[in-house]
Amino acid sequence: MKKLVSGFLLIATLITLGACHKGQASKNDNKLEKVTFVLDWTPNTNHTGLYVAKEKGYFKQAGLDVSIVQPSDGDASTIVASNKAQFGISAQDSLAANYVSDKPLPITTVAAILQHNTSGIISRKGSGIDHPKGLEKKIYATWDSPIEQAMIKDVMAKDNGGDFNKVKLIPNTIVDEPLALKQKQADAIWIFYGWGGIKAGVDNVALDYFNFKDINPVFDYYTPVIFANDTFLKEKPKTAQKFLAAARKGYEDAIQDPKAAATILCQEVPELDKNLVEKSQVWISKQYQAEAKQWGYIDSTRWNAFYDWLSENKLVAKKIPKNTGFTNDYLSE
């Protein structure tokens, strides 16, 4: 009987301690500073480091309660500019229009997710589009963006005088690039290789591919990038630094162990194709930092070169001054 009473006392003590612990945890959580991060698209391996940082508690250790959300109304830039979210994802080419606007949104890029532009053109293998000039007389699915079409025109001209005017353009409403090629909805499509290219392999669709940056280095601009609200950066610089330091740890973990990182992303977003995520993660983990001295770093020469090219080719209304729109100041050493 004495042992039974002792057992009840032990259980009661554990329950009490557990309740206290939960209460303490809840109390500690209440002390965390809330930060909202808005993605550019549905979750994919560009975002893995963020989910790793959240799952492993790096944000909490930094004193942050981070919510990762998808854009529900408007794009990420307008959401962050309104301070409904403090951070978001975009791309350097997409942000150019903002910096020539008479009333630019108050946002600044603070980190590069990938060190290099991994986008290019895919086509069915053997269809002759393994180089830019091969696009002549072929069907290309376009977003009808002046910058997009000017880049294709540029790389075609550099390939033995390829003529962009000979490309047959159709609207790009494609969501599954490998399937679209297989069904001959188009002959060529712009993709980001780390997802669309890897998916073609997973789906057993043989393809040809060329990178824009391999033909003209000025197209090695930054995409995707993390940007932040300017008022937030000014008022809470240490919060921004803590967020980026935690995100960096998440991306560094993904570099070191792509398989474990892919598992975390699939746990967080179970509707993703696990096979695709695992293969994409192996490929893209090598792109997060590449040869840069640290994850997130933005090289001013490459950043400025692309914006200068936009100006020289009259793709923006006015010249974008050097070093506009980005900073490395919030990255940890």
Side-chain angles (χ1 to χ4, degrees), residues 9 33 35 66 94 101 110 135 172 181 197 207 216 232 241 260 265 278 285 289 307 326 332:
L9 288 173
E33 186 173 3
V35 170
V66 175
S94 301
S101 169
V110 291
L135 283 163
N172 187 340
L181 289 176
L207 59 82
N216 186 346
F232 163 74
Q241 290 169 346
L265 179 60
E278 288 179 345
S285 283
Q289 185 172 340
Y307 278 170
F326 84 97
S332 56

Side-chain angles (χ1 to χ4, degrees), residues 138-151:
K138 299 292 173 51
I139 299 172
Y140 170 71
T142 177
W143 298 303
D144 207 22
S145 154
I147 294 176
E148 166 210 12
Q149 295 185 3
M151 286 177 61

Side-chain angles (χ1 to χ4, degrees), residues 10 39 113 123 147 152 159 210 252 310 316-317:
L10 177 60
L39 302 177
I113 290 180
S123 57
I147 294 176
I152 295 174
D159 183 15
F210 62 82
E252 288 176 342
L310 294 183
V316 287

Side-chain angles (χ1 to χ4, degrees), residues 90-97 147 151 190 221-223 306-307 310:
S90 187
Q92 187 185 348
D93 52 338
S94 301
L95 291 169
I147 294 176
M151 286 177 61
W190 184 319
Y221 56 84
Y222 289 94
T223 176
F306 180 66
Y307 278 170
L310 294 183

Side-chain angles (χ1 to χ4, degrees), residues 262-309:
T263 299
I264 289 173
L265 179 60
C266 289
Q267 287 171 345
E268 292 289 330
V269 193
E271 60 270 30
L272 290 173
D273 179 334
K274 185 179 179 183
N275 188 28
L276 171 58
V277 170
E278 288 179 345
K279 286 183 168 57
S280 171
Q281 197 62 62
V282 169
W283 189 89
I284 209 166
S285 283
K286 298 172 185 171
Q287 310 298 322
Y288 288 146
Q289 185 172 340
E291 78 292 347
K293 60 183 181 181
Q294 69 176 79
W295 174 84
Y297 182 77
I298 294 172
D299 180 281
S300 61
T301 301
R302 281 171 48 204
W303 181 278
N304 292 329
F306 180 66
Y307 278 170
D308 286 347
W309 182 85

Side-chain angles (χ1 to χ4, degrees), residues 56 89 97 102 106 146 184 186 222 230 243 255 298 312 325:
K56 291 194 171 184
I89 294 181
D102 291 336
K184 298 188 177 180
Y222 289 94
D230 285 348
F243 173 87
I255 293 169
I298 294 172
E312 291 161 6

Side-chain angles (χ1 to χ4, degrees), residues 35-38 69 73 78-87 229:
V35 170
T36 300
F37 189 104
V38 60
V69 302
D73 55 340
T78 56
I79 295 170
V80 173
S82 67
N83 213 16
K84 292 177 181 175
Q86 287 67 55
F87 293 94
N229 178 283

Side-chain angles (χ1 to χ4, degrees), residues 181-197:
L181 289 176
K182 192 174 181 180
Q183 295 179 340
K184 298 188 177 180
Q185 297 174 29
D187 296 321
I189 307 169
W190 184 319
I191 62 157
F192 288 85
Y193 191 85
W195 195 258

